[in-house]
């Protein structure tokens, strides 16, 4: 078994395992490289609540100071709040310290440009190049700036999102909402946000100083406590966020998780209801999106997986809304990034407008079965593995936007390398669960014959 | 040329040049590893660059699994005290100390609160050179904590070492030059507790230096000028991290920094006789004081790490250098500027004499100091030349070359901080000092091939 490295430098930033690959040396140099790219000005530094955030944050601050930037410590907060705050304050950029949905031993630094958007792939390449060259324009002691603090990002983000939806209708319903913040970056922000929308909030895991109570990816298997809390508290619905609060999962009033693809589908449905226009999602997002777009005659564009790819296409074609099947919703007019607060607002708005329960709202959209698997795969085996899938389905139409997507009239199979981990993701969607399972099984057998 | 120097107990460099945050992270990782991931106290001086280097140090220490006790802006002796008081495994002080504003440095303290000695420094450097750092996984990471009451406990400790009643009774008026440094937090309450009225100069802990931070007679001109306009008993200049002090008389006459140690010895040996340790470059004034009390002076290589280490080994009661740094053993493990001032105030109170009169009790030797900028190879060639030249005399080669005569001594050595050859001469008579000094400088210039100058 080849050893897989726990470090990944990619368009999502620098991600690694604390105590193994994500060292303060690496982070300091990367921050110096990013600071060089930003220029000598204010650069926001925000983080989620992982125990390693302090170590990483100080390394980032030291690196930024060394090249003349002014680090602005915005504390523990949701990533979408950080991204919006870059534009609000006119900062030269931001460093986001969060491994998002990755387990707690991971951490990462992601770089955000002056437009509040994750660095475009070409800019990210420039930063990586600066890092590899290792020669930074260090300032002398006299030119070293200071560290500033700013704790207004969460409040300003909250106000901006609430102003963009029909808040009065939501308040009129007086929802009871259970939330699981996974003790992450949104632990303080989310309860305050929901209360501002007139909701009664049942809080789960809202202590940012405590460790993650479960794997922070908001998958059905990780949010059992939330489902129970919804049932026991008689809540109208439940929301689960990942550690950096860009992704959202929904639980209906019966305590059943809807699956992350429903988040983007329901949000798109609500947004298109208000204003129709093109929709952008990635290649692994559910066909449900095509169905809700078809209701109002909107077109659906599909991109490579990775938030920045969706955002770029959204901005390029002036689309209304987009997102990813993993629960990331993007409304460029509000915030040009995955924003679980925007997602919560849109879902609550739809519920308020259409009346009825969460499960009734869900029932207005067709149901498919999606199966998502993963298999370890070191970088050097990726191309070979993908060719196996190409050959296996040589007679079917294939989409090579990202990995290999094999298309049938009523189902699809996707095998693609992860942007963040040395694994291949194997995903299929079909009318019935066993049909999707069969597609995934077939692909896995082709990839790993011994399995 | 990239300016980086690693010595016993410190690493020092020009910020933005060789002293990068990455370097500091590496050294902090090495220190955290040396401390076996135990708690480490971190303090910093007020330089702008110290904020950056502190963050780098915290990050490295945390990554090695250390609990970091952040003392914030803190003079070196306070960090030293905190290490001992809190039972920490070590300490890091981010301070350029007496160096000019371009420079900064890390000082490493062991669990006893003293600067790492030669042996421990070598262990640290070995870890650094091998890049063999402890790396804590996420579940072993510790938080950065504070020690809010350590300043009060430190001040209590200092006061317990002094005759507070005698000093209070005198009601001293003192002009203090803080050099906009780290002593602002400790010096104010210290002087207040001793019943002093303080006129402060450069009191803003901004790290912007009004003059170079070493407390030499030249750098105390601003303080001396102030004293001509205010009525005080004496003036004292602290360096940035509060381990060195210099004195100015009530008439506004700056005493050389060489006077600090013998004055402190006058105060200390009267109450507690014992051995005094100093370095090879320090004036023989302290020998005269020790002789008067029937005590001996031992000399170690130049540098606080060597001098304090020797002092501890010899159970000395005082250790210090001609730079104005003095440690009162065993009360402090590093040089401590406030305690030094306390000893001198105690002396003034006991003798009921003004500072100028006490200074006049010290022998009036002539000291000449010079330096020659030259490449390291020239420095070492010149030192070898001196060793041959003075082969017939009593020569001490433990740090460069030191030759001792009945009426004079000469010390030639490589600077710890810059590519310089330093030459120091002290003699009973000015002519003798000039003769020895000029001869040594001429020789050095010839070795440097006619290049360079003083």
């Amino acid at each position: 078994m080849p050893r897989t490295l726990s470090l990944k430098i990619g368009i999502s930033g620098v991600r690694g395992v604390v105590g193994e690959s994500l060292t303060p040396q690496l982070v300091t140099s990367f921050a110096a490289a990013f600071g060089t790219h930003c220029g000598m000005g204010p650069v926001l530094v925000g983080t989620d609540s992982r125990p390693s955030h302090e170590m990483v944050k100080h390394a980032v601050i030291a690196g930024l100071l060394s090249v003349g930037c002014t680090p602005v410590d915005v504390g523990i907060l949701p990533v979408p709040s950080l991204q919006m705050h870059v534009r609000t304050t006119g900062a030269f950029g931001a460093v986001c310290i969060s491994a998002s949905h990755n387990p707690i031993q991971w951490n990462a630094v992601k770089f955000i440009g002056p437009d509040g958007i994750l660095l475009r792939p070409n800019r990210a390449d420039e930063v990586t190049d600066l890092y590899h060259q290792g020669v930074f324009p260090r300032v002398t002691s006299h030119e070293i700036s200071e560290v500033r603090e700013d704790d207004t990002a969460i409040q300003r983000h909250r106000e901006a999102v609430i102003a963009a939806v029909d808040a009065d209708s939501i308040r009129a319903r007086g929802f009871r909402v259970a939330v699981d913040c996974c003790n992450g970056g949104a632990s303080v922000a989310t309860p305050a946000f929901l209360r501002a929308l007139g909701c009664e909030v049942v809080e789960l895991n809202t202590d940012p100083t405590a460790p993650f109570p479960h794997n922070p990816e908001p998958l059905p298997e990780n949010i059992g406590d939330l489902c129970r809390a919804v049932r026991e508290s008689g809540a109208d619905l439940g929301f689960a966020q990942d550690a950096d609060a860009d992704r959202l999962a929904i639980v209906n009033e019966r305590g059943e998780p809807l699956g992350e693809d429903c988040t983007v589908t329901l949000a798109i449905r609500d947004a298109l209801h208000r204003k129709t226009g093109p929709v952008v999602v990635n290649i692994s997002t559910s066909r449900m999106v095509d169905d809700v777009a078809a209701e109002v005659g909107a077109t659906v564009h599909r991109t490579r997986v990775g938030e920045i790819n969706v955002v770029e296409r959204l901005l390029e074609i002036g689309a209304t809304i987009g997102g990813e099947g993993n629960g990331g919703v993007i409304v460029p007019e509000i915030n040009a990034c995955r924003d679980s607060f925007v997602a919560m607002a849109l879902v609550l708005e739809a519920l308020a407008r259409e009346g009825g329960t969460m499960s009734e709202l869900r029932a207005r959209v067709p149901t498919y079965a999606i199966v998502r698997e993963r298999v370890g795969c070191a970088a050097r085996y990726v191309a070979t593995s993908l060719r196996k899938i190409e050959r296996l389905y040589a007679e079917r139409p294939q989409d090579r936007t990202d990995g290999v997507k094999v298309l049938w009239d009523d189902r699809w199979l996707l095998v693609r390398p992860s942007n963040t981990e040395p694994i291949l993701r194997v995903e299929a969607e079909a009318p019935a669960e066993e049909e999707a399972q069969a597609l995934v099984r077939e692909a896995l057998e082709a990839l790993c014959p011994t399995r | 040329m990239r300016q980086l120097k690693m010595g016993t107990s410190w690493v020092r460099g020009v910020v933005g040049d060789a002293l990068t945050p990455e370097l500091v992270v590496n050294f902090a990782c090495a220190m955290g590893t040396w401390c076996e991931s135990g708690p480490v106290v971190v303090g910093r001086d007020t330089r702008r660059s110290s904020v950056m280097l502190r963050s780098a140090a915290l990050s490295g220490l945390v990554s090695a699994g250390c609990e970091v006790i952040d003392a914030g802006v803190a003079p070196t002796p306070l960090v030293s005290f905190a290490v001992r008081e809190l039972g920490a495994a070590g300490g890091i002080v981010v301070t350029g100390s007496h160096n000019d504003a371009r420079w900064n440095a890390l000082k490493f303290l062991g669990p006893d609160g003293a600067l790492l000695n030669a042996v421990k420094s070598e262990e640290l450097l070995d870890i650094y050179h091998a890049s063999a750092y402890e790396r804590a996984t996420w579940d072993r990471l510790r938080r950065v904590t504070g020690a809010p009451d350590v300043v009060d406990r430190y001040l209590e400790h200092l006061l317990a070492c002094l005759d507070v009643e005698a000093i209070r009774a005198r009601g001293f008026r003192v002009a203090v030059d803080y050099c906009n440094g780290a002593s602002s937090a400790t010096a104010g309450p210290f002087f207040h507790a001793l019943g002093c009225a303080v006129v402060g100069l450069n009191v803003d802990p901004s790290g912007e230096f009004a003059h170079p931070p070493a407390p030499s007679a030249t750098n105390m001109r601003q303080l001396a000028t102030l004293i001509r306009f205010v009525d005080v008993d004496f003036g004292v200049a602290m360096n940035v991290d509060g381990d060195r002090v210099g004195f100015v008389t009530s008439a506004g006459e700056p005493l050389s920094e060489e006077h600090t140690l013998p004055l402190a010895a006058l105060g200390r040996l009267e109450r507690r006789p014992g051995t005094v340790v100093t370095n090879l470059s320090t004036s023989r004034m302290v020998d005269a004081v020790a002789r008067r009390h029937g005590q001996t002076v031992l000399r170690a290589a130049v540098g606080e790490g060597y001098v304090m280490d020797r002092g501890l080994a010899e159970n000395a009661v005082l250790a210090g250098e001609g730079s104005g740094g003095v440690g009162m053993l065993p009360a402090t493990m590093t040089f401590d500027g406030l305690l030094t001032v306390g000893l001198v105030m105690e002396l003034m109170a006991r003798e009921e004499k003004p500072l100028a009169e006490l200074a006049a009790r010290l022998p009036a030797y002539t000291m000449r100091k010079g330096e020659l900028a030259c490449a390291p190879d020239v420095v070492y060639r010149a030192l070898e030349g001196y060793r041959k030249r003075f082969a017939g005399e009593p020569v001490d080669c433990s740090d460069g070359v030191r030759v001792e005569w009945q009426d004079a001594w000469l010390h030639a050595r490589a600077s710890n901080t810059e590519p310089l050859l330093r030459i120091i001469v002290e003699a009973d008579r000015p002519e003798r000092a000039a003769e020895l000094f000029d001869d040594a400088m001429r020789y050095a210039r010839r070795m440097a091939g006619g290049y360079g100058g003083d």
Side-chain angles (χ1 to χ4, degrees):
Chain A
M1 172 81 193
R3 191 177 134 74
T4 49
L5 289 174
S6 62
L7 181 71
K8 179 85 182 178
I9 296 172
I11 60 164
S12 300
V14 185
R15 190 178 296 246
V17 173
V18 173
E20 216 173 284
S21 55
L22 194 77
T23 63
Q25 286 85 350
L26 178 81
V27 173
T28 303
S29 294
F30 252 104
F34 179 62
T36 304
H37 198 270
C38 289
M40 293 167 72
V43 176
L44 309 188
V45 182
T47 172
D48 76 15
S49 58
R50 282 163 207 267
S52 53
H53 83 263
E54 210 159 28
M55 185 264 280
V56 178
K57 182 168 91 173
H58 282 296
V60 168
I61 287 174
L64 289 174
L65 281 170
S66 76
V67 293
C69 298
T70 304
V72 182
D73 185 351
V74 294
I76 294 177
L77 80 179
V79 173
S81 310
L82 175 64
Q83 294 187 246
M84 183 179 279
H85 209 54
V86 176
R87 278 183 303 151
T88 316
T89 60
F92 282 30
V95 179
C96 167
I97 300 164
S98 172
S100 190
H101 59 280
N102 285 144
I104 199 159
Q105 66 269 29
W106 291 78
N107 211 336
V109 285
K110 291 186 268 191
F111 302 118
I112 295 162
D115 50 5
I117 299 173
L118 279 179
L119 281 194
R120 310 291 206 280
N122 61 330
R123 311 268 166 70
D125 286 346
E126 289 166 15
V127 172
T128 308
D129 186 41
L130 281 166
Y131 167 76
H132 284 134
Q133 306 226 10
V135 182
F136 309 118
R138 310 280 194 187
V139 296
T140 62
S141 348
H142 185 68
E143 298 160 308
I144 286 180
S145 188
E146 60 192 0
V147 181
R148 295 194 192 134
E149 287 180 9
D150 178 351
D151 60 2
T152 63
I154 289 176
Q155 184 201 338
R156 290 165 93 167
H157 176 226
R158 176 171 69 231
E159 288 166 359
V161 174
I162 288 175
V165 296
D166 185 357
D168 289 338
S169 306
I170 298 172
R171 291 191 187 107
R173 278 287 302 264
F175 291 113
R176 179 180 293 172
V177 184
V179 291
D180 180 350
C181 299
C182 198
N183 293 334
S187 296
V188 175
T190 300
F193 174 80
L194 291 171
R195 289 196 180 100
L197 284 171
C199 301
E200 184 192 329
V201 183
V202 180
E203 295 185 30
L204 255 76
N205 306 318
T206 53
D207 177 3
T209 64
F212 298 162
H214 53 74
N215 183 309
E217 192 159 15
L219 300 174
E221 63 262 34
N222 294 332
I223 56 176
D225 288 346
L226 176 66
C227 297
R228 209 161 20 254
V230 168
R231 279 194 300 273
E232 285 167 7
S233 66
D236 295 299
L237 73 167
F239 287 134
Q241 291 163 305
D242 63 346
D244 58 351
D246 52 2
R247 292 167 53 179
L248 183 77
I250 303 168
V251 173
N252 70 17
E253 78 284 357
R254 296 200 291 262
E256 297 157 351
L258 300 186
E260 320 94 271
D261 285 87
C262 280
T263 307
V264 73
T265 305
L266 292 174
I268 287 172
R269 188 169 172 274
D270 181 66
L272 291 182
H273 183 91
R274 288 196 301 170
K275 179 186 161 194
T276 185
V279 171
V280 180
V281 290
N282 70 30
I283 194 163
S284 89
T285 304
S286 168
R287 304 172 42 147
M288 288 189 287
V289 171
D290 299 279
D291 295 327
V292 299
E295 281 177 25
V296 292
T299 52
V300 177
H301 299 251
R302 289 192 181 260
T303 70
R304 292 189 67 186
V305 175
E307 176 183 2
I308 186 59
N309 299 311
V310 180
V311 171
E312 283 221 282
R313 185 73 67 81
L314 278 166
L315 295 176
E316 183 189 314
I317 64 176
T320 309
I321 184 167
E324 300 180 313
N326 59 15
V329 172
I330 307 165
V331 179
E333 276 181 16
I334 308 176
N335 201 7
C337 61
R338 292 186 301 200
D339 187 329
S340 63
F341 294 81
V342 169
M344 287 189 283
L346 292 178
V347 169
L348 291 174
E349 187 181 61
L351 261 184
R353 192 184 53 243
E354 302 194 18
T357 63
M358 192 64 229
S359 51
E360 285 162 3
L361 183 66
R362 167 67 185 85
R364 296 194 180 106
V365 176
T367 300
Y368 303 96
I370 291 197
V371 173
R372 291 191 166 105
E373 280 289 343
R374 43 189 283 161
V375 58
C377 184
R380 60 192 167 130
Y381 299 120
V382 168
T384 318
S385 302
L386 294 180
R387 270 183 227 121
K388 283 183 188 166
I389 300 297
E390 271 182 346
R391 280 198 298 272
L392 180 64
Y393 299 103
E395 82 291 356
R396 296 300 318 165
Q398 296 181 355
D399 180 343
R400 290 301 307 261
T401 304
D402 194 357
V404 183
K405 187 176 187 181
V406 189
L407 303 162
W408 288 267
D409 290 341
D410 62 349
R411 68 197 68 186
W412 53 263
L413 166 76
L414 174 65
V415 179
R416 65 176 184 88
S418 162
N419 285 330
T420 54
E421 292 168 81
I423 58 166
L424 284 178
R425 293 191 185 278
V426 181
E427 307 168 316
E429 184 172 38
E433 173 86 18
E434 43 298 359
E435 293 163 329
Q437 289 283 12
L439 282 172
V440 167
R441 204 165 44 240
E442 195 169 55
L444 285 175
E445 274 163 15
L447 291 168
C448 327
T450 56
R451 204 177 152 99
Chain B
M1 172 167 182
R2 278 160 74 79
Q3 305 255 327
L4 181 74
K5 299 281 274 186
M6 295 177 200
T8 298
S9 63
W10 47 256
V11 55
R12 189 179 301 185
V14 170
V15 174
D17 184 40
L19 194 65
T20 60
E22 285 87 345
L23 182 92
V24 172
V25 168
N26 280 326
F27 265 98
C29 287
M31 184 62 180
T33 307
W34 188 83
C35 292
E36 297 176 315
S37 307
V40 176
V41 182
V42 176
R44 67 168 178 94
D45 73 16
T46 52
R47 285 163 207 258
R48 296 175 82 88
S49 59
S50 296
V51 177
M52 167 179 84
L53 301 183
R54 165 189 169 268
S55 275
L58 293 192
S59 185
L61 289 169
V62 171
S63 80
C66 298
E67 178 196 347
V68 177
I69 302 161
D70 182 11
V73 172
T76 299
L78 171 60
V79 177
S80 164
F81 174 81
V83 168
R84 275 198 296 171
E85 183 77 0
L86 305 173
I92 294 182
V93 191
V94 179
T95 175
S97 193
H98 57 283
N99 288 122
D100 73 45
R102 294 174 305 132
W103 290 76
N104 213 327
L106 303 184
K107 286 182 178 177
F108 301 103
L109 307 176
D112 56 357
L115 292 173
L116 295 192
N117 66 14
V119 175
K120 294 172 187 166
S121 291
E122 199 174 307
E123 292 168 1
L124 179 70
L125 277 177
D126 282 348
I127 296 171
Y128 168 76
H129 287 136
S131 304
Y133 309 134
E134 186 66 36
R135 296 257 180 242
T137 49
W138 70 273
D139 50 337
R140 287 175 47 226
L141 294 182
R142 309 291 301 271
R143 285 181 184 271
V144 176
T145 58
D149 63 339
V150 78
V151 172
D152 292 338
R153 281 146 79 182
Y154 169 63
L155 291 171
E156 270 170 39
H157 172 68
L158 291 190
L159 296 173
C161 298
L162 297 167
D163 187 348
V164 176
E165 285 319 305
I167 296 172
R168 285 188 68 94
R170 279 291 303 269
F172 286 113
R173 292 175 55 83
V174 193
V176 184
D177 184 347
Y178 297 94
C179 197
N180 293 334
S183 296
S184 312
T186 49
F190 174 77
F191 285 114
H192 181 76
L194 289 171
C196 302
V198 173
V199 182
L201 177 65
N202 299 319
V203 295
D204 170 26
S206 63
E208 301 291 330
F209 304 146
H211 53 72
S216 66
T218 321
N219 296 337
M220 290 193 292
R221 277 186 304 213
Q222 198 189 11
L223 177 64
T225 307
L226 170 72
I227 289 175
R228 285 187 207 116
F229 294 96
V230 295
D231 176 28
V232 294
D233 294 295
F234 69 99
V236 59
M238 323 268 315
N239 72 339
V240 183
D241 65 329
D243 59 357
R244 299 183 178 190
V245 291
F247 291 95
V248 179
T249 68
S250 57
E253 292 295 328
L255 301 177
S256 114
E257 68 271 36
E258 292 282 352
H259 281 79
T260 303
L261 174 62
L263 285 171
L266 276 176
R268 177 69 170 154
L269 295 183
E270 178 73 29
R271 277 185 63 191
R272 177 83 191 273
T275 305
V276 178
V277 175
T278 186
N279 70 33
L280 296 167
S281 274
T282 297
S283 166
R284 286 203 291 205
M285 285 188 280
V286 71
D287 297 65
V289 175
R291 215 161 30 240
R292 232 173 274 166
H293 289 88
Q295 302 301 326
T296 50
V297 173
L298 299 174
R299 287 190 140 77
V302 176
E304 180 182 351
Y306 295 108
V307 172
M308 288 298 279
D309 193 48
R310 184 82 191 274
L312 287 166
E314 304 282 350
N315 286 318
V317 295
L318 201 68
E321 299 189 294
S323 58
V326 177
M328 176 174 144
L329 291 163
T332 65
M333 290 291 139
T334 61
F335 292 166
D336 187 322
L338 290 181
L339 201 49
T340 307
V341 179
L343 281 175
V344 172
M345 285 197 287
E346 203 177 83
L347 172 70
M348 291 167 72
R350 190 169 60 230
E351 306 276 330
E352 297 184 353
K353 292 282 190 288
L355 184 64
E357 205 168 306
L358 294 168
R361 291 187 189 171
L362 301 172
Y365 299 131
T366 301
M367 196 175 239
R368 295 287 302 270
K369 296 185 183 182
E371 58 192 38
L372 190 73
C374 47
D377 59 313
V378 177
V379 171
Y380 294 112
R381 201 143 32 87
L383 291 178
E384 204 46 44
Y386 286 125
R387 285 180 195 128
K388 290 198 184 99
R389 229 168 127 79
F390 297 113
E393 318 281 350
V395 173
D396 182 335
C397 294
S398 54
D399 183 10
V401 189
R402 187 173 188 274
V403 197
E404 177 125 28
W405 296 275
Q406 201 65 57
D407 63 338
W409 56 268
L410 176 149
H411 188 200
R413 57 182 283 273
S415 161
N416 275 337
T417 50
E418 284 156 279
L420 291 177
L421 176 70
R422 292 192 191 283
I423 292 169
I424 304 174
V425 167
E426 188 179 54
D428 296 353
R429 290 173 301 111
E431 311 82 61
R432 173 80 166 129
E435 174 202 336
L436 284 169
F437 181 75
D438 293 344
D439 176 64
M441 287 300 285
R442 238 187 339 265
Y443 180 74
R445 276 197 209 93
R446 203 161 68 235
M447 295 299 287
Y451 298 100
D454 346 353

